[in-house]
Amino acid sequence: MQIARDPLDIEAHARRVLLASRPPLTDRAFGALVDLFLALGDRGRALRRQLLEQAMPWLDPDDAHFLRTHLDTELPRGAQLPTQRWSVLDTAVLGSLNMVGLQRREVAQETPFQQAMSLLEYGDLAGARGMLEAALLDEPDHEEVNRELLAIYQHSRDDAGKAEMADKLVARHGALPSGWS
């Protein structure tokens, strides 16, 4: 609590590290050292080294290595720290500082028929019909497109639209696909 009240009380930090370097409080040594490193910033290198050496037998090897790498440089606030729970001054950024990352992935291209079926599922009959008409004009032998477009004309009772599409098919391909006569 004293460190939380006065983070620059170096004597309190040193006492806390020394207390945490003895059983049964050894699980708190890393958090105490992290707080000391954060409070001192880039100053107090000799004190940081001495207290780190005293606590070394109780530290996890990865935690000890992490602190050794920051002896000569400042441990910046908001730095990505190893997981620990006994630090008072740590801003508790665990893991990655990047909350959202951009990922590229291949998206399978939908065929015009699949896109039209999606439009039908959402109730966009006119959009699906337009997409199927364009697909049939490009590929008049596509059976699924042909069958679905004819079903749309039949259910919507749009004989004028069907006749107009038949004229376009004859003009472009010279004949009508099966089922149009």
Side-chain angles (χ1 to χ4, degrees), residues 3 7 10 13-14 16-17 20 27-41 48 51-52 55 59 62-68 70 73-94:
I3 289 173
I10 303 306
H13 279 286
R16 181 171 173 230
V17 171
D27 60 331
R28 301 173 187 201
F30 181 67
L33 283 165
V34 166
D35 286 342
L36 175 72
F37 277 47
L38 288 170
L40 287 174
R48 285 186 289 157
L51 291 174
L52 178 58
L59 293 176
D62 292 335
D63 295 343
H65 175 71
F66 176 80
L67 291 172
R68 261 189 261 117
H70 287 91
T73 61
E74 177 180 3
L75 179 61
R77 289 191 182 274
Q80 186 175 346
L81 299 174
T83 304
Q84 50 83 30
R85 62 181 185 159
W86 295 109
S87 175
V88 177
L89 303 179
D90 176 19
T91 56
V93 176
L94 302 176

Side-chain angles (χ1 to χ4, degrees), residues 128-157:
R129 183 179 120 184
M131 191 163 285
L132 289 171
E133 287 174 345
L136 193 61
L137 284 171
D138 289 340
E139 194 177 343
D141 297 330
H142 197 288
E143 288 296 320
E144 290 177 311
V145 172
N146 187 31
R147 186 175 50 250
E148 198 62 40
L149 184 58
L150 286 172
I152 288 174
Y153 287 135
Q154 181 181 3
H155 290 294
S156 63
R157 296 187 177 125

Side-chain angles (χ1 to χ4, degrees), residues 57-123:
W58 308 110
L59 293 176
D60 178 80
D62 292 335
D63 295 343
H65 175 71
F66 176 80
L67 291 172
R68 261 189 261 117
T69 59
H70 287 91
L71 272 174
D72 296 326
T73 61
E74 177 180 3
L75 179 61
R77 289 191 182 274
Q80 186 175 346
L81 299 174
T83 304
Q84 50 83 30
R85 62 181 185 159
W86 295 109
S87 175
V88 177
L89 303 179
D90 176 19
T91 56
V93 176
L94 302 176
S96 175
L97 293 175
N98 299 326
M99 300 303 266
V100 178
L102 177 64
Q103 294 182 353
R104 292 191 179 269
R105 65 176 198 177
E106 291 295 320
V107 177
Q109 293 288 358
E110 285 187 329
T111 65
F113 177 75
Q114 292 169 330
Q115 291 174 354
M117 294 299 100
S118 294
L119 290 174
L120 279 176
E121 287 176 17
Y122 289 108

